[in-house]
Amino acid sequence: MAAELVAGVDIATQEVRVVCVDGEGRVVATGRAALPPPERPRPGWSEQDAGTWWPAAADALRQATDELGRSKAQGITAVAVAATSGTVVALDADGAPAGPALLYGDQRAGDEADRATAAGGDRWDALGFRPGATSGLAKWAWLLAQPDVGSRARHLAHASDVVVAGLTGDRRPPTDWSHALKSGYDPSRREWATEALEAVGVDADLLPEVRPPTSAAGKVSGEAASATGLPPGCGVRLGMTDGCAGQVAAGADRPGRFVTVVGTTMVVKGVTEDLLVDPGGAVYSHRHPDGWWLPGGASNTGGAAVEEAWPDADLGELDERAADRGPAGCVTYPLVATGERFPFVAPDAEG
């Protein structure tokens, strides 16, 4: 009998990554597939074709299961998906994108964010979170206000939901309260912020059901099994945002532990027993599946600045060159695009 394994799917900014691990947490197989670079047709805008997410995820999963071999791949008992927080899309009746996906750094929905913040003021004060221009809630509202998108939209989804739909065959799968936080879900009261949704014209009937991370979302369909190499009937579990998944993987998995994770952006997150509230809104809290809180913030600085300056460089070589030079003789704030979220909130900030 094959040893039990689990698979994790990460929908990053420019690629989808997959790891398969055993019961001891050892990585036994990997896969990766490219996504199209974000399109930025105007300052503060950042789009991607959501139709590329599932094919890339299926490709990356197939690489991992091929590396394992058919027999070992049959030991995969569950798969979960993580994605960038605040990346959303509107889907049509067939589950296809009704318009572009707006990525986590997109800031076009400032007016919608202001209306949502005003309508849910007391709730946001208690939760310590305000739906800014980069929030999924504001961006869903902006998408629905576009006639060519709003007339076709039948379901609102996060990037993770699109891949879960591909895995299960369910066009409207449940979502988790981690990905849903920036989309107007209140994890403290465990409900959608209906007053804010109504203020920006988001129909609650378009929203997914919300469950805790790690909850069952369905099973891998026969079609998805053929595309990915996963065993048919393999469990699909709801994941968390990439920042939350990264912090748990890095060891901040219980109260009192904090980590910094640098990817395209930089995330500082930890675990507390009680909800921490930042009146400025730079620090906000996701909720742990066990009821703890995950306070932290995400900066738009990070690895994207390195890629912008040295697109073809080897990161290890850059580390060695930096060590040889010693401390830097200058100070830089490496924002690639406009706007910052943490440690301060400034939509117009520039590097």
Side-chain angles (χ1 to χ4, degrees):
M1 182 177 179
E4 289 192 354
L5 308 172
V6 295
V9 181
D10 175 27
I11 310 168
T13 307
Q14 297 195 46
E15 68 177 358
V16 175
R17 299 182 284 257
V18 168
V19 294
C20 296
V21 300
D22 63 17
E24 301 300 321
R26 293 182 293 249
V27 175
V28 295
T30 63
R32 61 199 314 156
L35 291 171
E39 296 182 10
R40 298 186 173 95
R42 301 184 189 179
W45 290 31
S46 185
E47 304 177 354
Q48 197 169 55
D49 177 7
T52 64
W53 294 338
W54 166 240
D59 183 6
L61 281 163
R62 170 59 73 177
Q63 293 175 36
T65 56
D66 283 350
E67 181 181 341
L68 283 171
R70 180 176 177 82
S71 177
K72 289 185 178 179
Q74 295 307 299
I76 298 175
T77 60
V79 58
V81 184
T84 48
S85 177
T87 296
V88 296
V89 66
L91 305 175
D92 65 18
D94 295 323
L102 306 190
L103 299 184
Y104 55 90
D106 189 286
Q107 300 186 61
R108 72 187 68 183
D111 291 342
E112 292 80 0
D114 290 343
R115 297 202 305 273
T117 296
D122 291 341
R123 181 191 297 271
W124 307 134
D125 287 344
L127 190 59
F129 170 78
R130 288 174 176 77
T134 62
S135 69
L137 172 56
K139 287 183 280 195
W140 273 342
W142 189 94
L143 284 169
L144 292 174
Q146 311 311 303
D148 57 333
V149 178
S151 62
R152 298 170 53 211
R154 297 295 180 270
H155 178 45
L156 299 175
H158 310 95
S160 55
D161 305 334
V162 173
V163 173
V164 169
L167 288 166
T168 63
D170 181 356
R171 291 178 183 172
R172 294 194 58 164
T175 194
D176 63 274
W177 67 39
S178 180
H179 286 98
L181 173 66
K182 291 186 179 180
S183 301
Y185 184 77
D186 183 341
S188 180
R189 302 184 193 179
R190 301 194 182 188
E191 63 184 20
W192 287 103
T194 53
E195 70 280 9
L197 296 167
E198 292 172 358
V200 294
V202 174
D203 186 347
D205 289 340
L206 301 178
L207 299 171
E209 176 192 353
V210 182
R211 300 176 186 172
T214 73
S215 298
K219 296 182 181 299
V220 171
S221 69
E223 182 178 355
S226 296
T228 64
L230 294 169
C234 170
V236 180
R237 296 277 177 166
L238 295 178
M240 307 171 80
T241 62
D242 56 356
C244 291
Q247 78 163 87
V248 172
D253 56 356
R254 68 198 71 175
R257 293 190 172 187
F258 281 74
V259 296
T260 299
V261 180
V262 179
T264 301
T265 60
M266 182 181 70
V267 178
V268 180
K269 294 187 71 67
V271 188
T272 59
E273 293 184 358
D274 300 316
L275 175 63
L276 301 181
V277 176
D278 171 19
V283 174
Y284 60 93
S285 294
H286 286 268
R287 192 154 202 182
H288 189 281
D290 292 335
W292 299 323
W293 292 94
L294 308 176
S299 169
N300 289 339
T301 63
V306 178
E307 184 176 43
E308 179 88 356
W310 299 279
D312 300 317
D314 177 82
L315 292 180
E317 180 184 351
L318 288 181
D319 284 342
E320 292 177 2
R321 290 166 58 187
D324 289 341
R325 288 176 177 267
C330 62
V331 175
T332 179
Y333 201 87
L335 281 175
V336 174
T338 301
E340 180 57 296
R341 303 172 286 164
F342 173 86
F344 55 88
V345 179
D348 298 325
E350 295 184 350

